[in-house]
Amino acid sequence: MAAAAVIPSGNVYVTNFAANTVSVIDTTLNTVVGAPIAVGAQPVGVAVAPNGNAYVCNRGSNNVTVIDTATNTVVGLPIPVGNQPNFVAIAPNGNAYVVNIGSNSVTVIDTTLNTVVGPPIPVGNQPWGIAVGANGNAYTANRAANSVSVIDTATNTVVGAPIPVGSGPIAVAVAVNGKVYVTDINSNNVSVIQFAPTLTSINPTQGPITGGTVVTITGTNLTGASVDIGGNPATGVSVNAAGTQITATTPPGAAGPATVTVTTPGGSASLVNGFTYVLPVHATSLTATPALAKLFPPHVYFPFLTATLTDEVTGLPVPGQTVIFKIGSSLLGVATTDAQGTARLNETLILTLILANGGYDVSFAGATTPSAVLSPSSAHGGIIEP
């Protein structure tokens, strides 16, 4: 026996290398179903396509036999491939990918038509095993080259340079999280390949400068990730089993756009200015003191009109902000709040006008500070009667 594959019904198809046959096992009863199915010489690898057909690599006859698993009969003539076809894997697009040890190539078979697609794809020396990941990439274990080749099954082209692994790689498997596991027969170990992460999106894309926003980052090859936002580490980082989604909590950050960087054992990737820190909005209030309408006895407010600006969220006075003093549409003056949040305007020369209009108005147009966006506010100052 050389290899086995399971079909959706649960039956197992086992290649018999020396007998040039395939045996079928009923996994419910653990018994052989019918007589062995005759295939080509020295069958090794077998895989089942979405249409239910099993594809058997016949190393000794340089072809692939197709078995209809519904009837356990051979379909048509064997399909010629490269020299010494060894193992086969089915891609998400349904095509079968056959590694040819003797010709250092991969043959692609259209499983709908059972015909070869395009020329063989050159890979490393003595490709032995093959597997296809959920992302559509095929990986060949190149036994004599101590490497793994990557094929994009969407274009049937080799991606990048071969990846060095241990000595004598013969089998390969792709985990749910996208990691590639390679058995190295000569060095008695397993090589693990993790590719650099890719990032697609982050949601939500903004949150307060205080941090604490739970975000979801999507991409690929995210297993083992850490996350930085604006150069600061995120907390509560977790990655789903497929390695395609991260959940994390944003750290505090400065107002404005921040780059999101994900780092894994395979490398790092960034969403430049992918997250924006926004300032919280704080309501404000203005309190205006009444104008003095009598000179004797002297009044505590004389000779200034005063307006005090307060942050309603923190309860603290707001210094350094501009307050406008008006009567109707007429500007009386402009003043800046001090450390106590108070703006002052001398009323000596404008008292008559204030009295004639029954008081005055103050307004704050709103502003942005390093810690908050301050909302506008206004107030009316009355008159102290004689």
Side-chain angles (χ1 to χ4, degrees), residues 63-89:
N63 56 29
V64 170
T65 298
V66 183
I67 298 173
D68 182 341
T69 61
T71 61
N72 287 336
T73 57
V74 172
V75 177
L77 296 175
I79 303 169
V81 290
N83 293 331
Q84 297 180 286
N86 201 49
F87 280 95
V88 57

Side-chain angles (χ1 to χ4, degrees), residues 1-379:
M1 291 179 289
V6 182
I7 67 172
S9 69
N11 283 355
V12 175
Y13 286 71
V14 180
T15 56
N16 304 306
F17 183 81
N20 301 331
T21 61
V22 170
S23 296
V24 182
I25 298 174
D26 182 331
T27 57
T28 302
L29 302 174
N30 285 336
T31 56
V32 173
V33 178
I37 304 167
V39 291
Q42 298 178 349
V44 183
V46 58
V48 180
N51 60 13
N53 286 347
Y55 290 78
V56 180
C57 295
N58 304 308
R59 187 194 291 179
S61 53
N62 300 329
N63 56 29
V64 170
T65 298
V66 183
I67 298 173
D68 182 341
T69 61
T71 61
N72 287 336
T73 57
V74 172
V75 177
L77 296 175
I79 303 169
V81 290
N83 293 331
Q84 297 180 286
N86 201 49
F87 280 95
V88 57
I90 309 299
N93 60 16
N95 287 348
Y97 286 72
V98 179
V99 285
N100 306 302
I101 297 174
S103 51
N104 302 327
S105 65
V106 172
T107 300
V108 183
I109 298 173
D110 181 332
T111 59
T112 302
L113 302 173
N114 287 334
T115 56
V116 172
V117 177
I121 304 168
V123 290
N125 195 12
Q126 292 186 10
W128 205 266
I130 187 168
V132 182
N135 62 359
N137 283 347
Y139 306 92
T140 67
N142 307 315
R143 182 172 184 172
N146 300 328
S147 67
V148 168
S149 296
V150 183
I151 298 171
D152 181 345
T153 63
T155 60
N156 288 336
T157 56
V158 173
V159 178
I163 302 166
V165 289
S167 179
I170 60 169
V172 59
V174 184
V176 174
N177 59 20
K179 290 183 180 180
V180 178
Y181 290 77
V182 184
T183 55
D184 306 311
I185 193 169
N186 295 335
S187 52
N188 300 322
N189 57 20
V190 173
S191 298
V192 182
I193 302 170
Q194 181 167 359
F195 296 92
T198 65
L199 301 182
T200 304
S201 65
I202 182 172
N203 185 57
T205 57
Q206 66 177 31
I209 59 171
T210 52
T213 301
V214 177
V215 295
T216 299
I217 302 168
T218 57
T220 62
N221 304 319
L222 304 179
T223 299
S226 62
V227 179
D228 284 353
I229 301 178
N232 299 313
T235 58
V237 177
S238 64
V239 184
N240 69 349
T244 58
Q245 182 173 289
I246 298 172
T247 301
T249 301
T250 61
T259 294
V260 179
T261 300
V262 171
T263 302
T264 72
S268 63
S270 296
L271 293 171
V272 177
N273 296 335
F275 186 81
T276 300
Y277 282 103
V278 295
L279 293 168
V281 177
H282 287 190
T284 64
S285 64
L286 269 175
T287 304
T289 57
L292 176 65
K294 58 181 179 180
L295 297 179
F296 298 101
H299 197 278
V300 68
Y301 297 132
F302 184 80
F304 291 103
L305 305 176
T306 62
T308 301
L309 181 64
T310 303
D311 184 326
E312 290 291 288
V313 174
T314 64
L316 299 174
V318 183
Q321 301 302 320
T322 299
V323 175
I324 298 173
F325 293 76
K326 282 186 174 182
I327 295 177
S329 60
S330 300
L331 177 66
L332 299 179
V334 176
T336 302
T337 57
D338 59 19
Q340 287 72 45
T342 300
R344 291 176 172 82
L345 185 70
N346 195 304
E347 69 173 323
T348 305
L349 302 178
I350 55 176
L351 179 58
T352 302
L353 184 60
I354 294 172
L355 294 176
N357 286 273
Y360 67 100
D361 297 304
V362 290
S363 63
F364 167 61
T368 299
T369 72
S371 59
V373 175
L374 302 176
S375 295
S377 56
S378 60

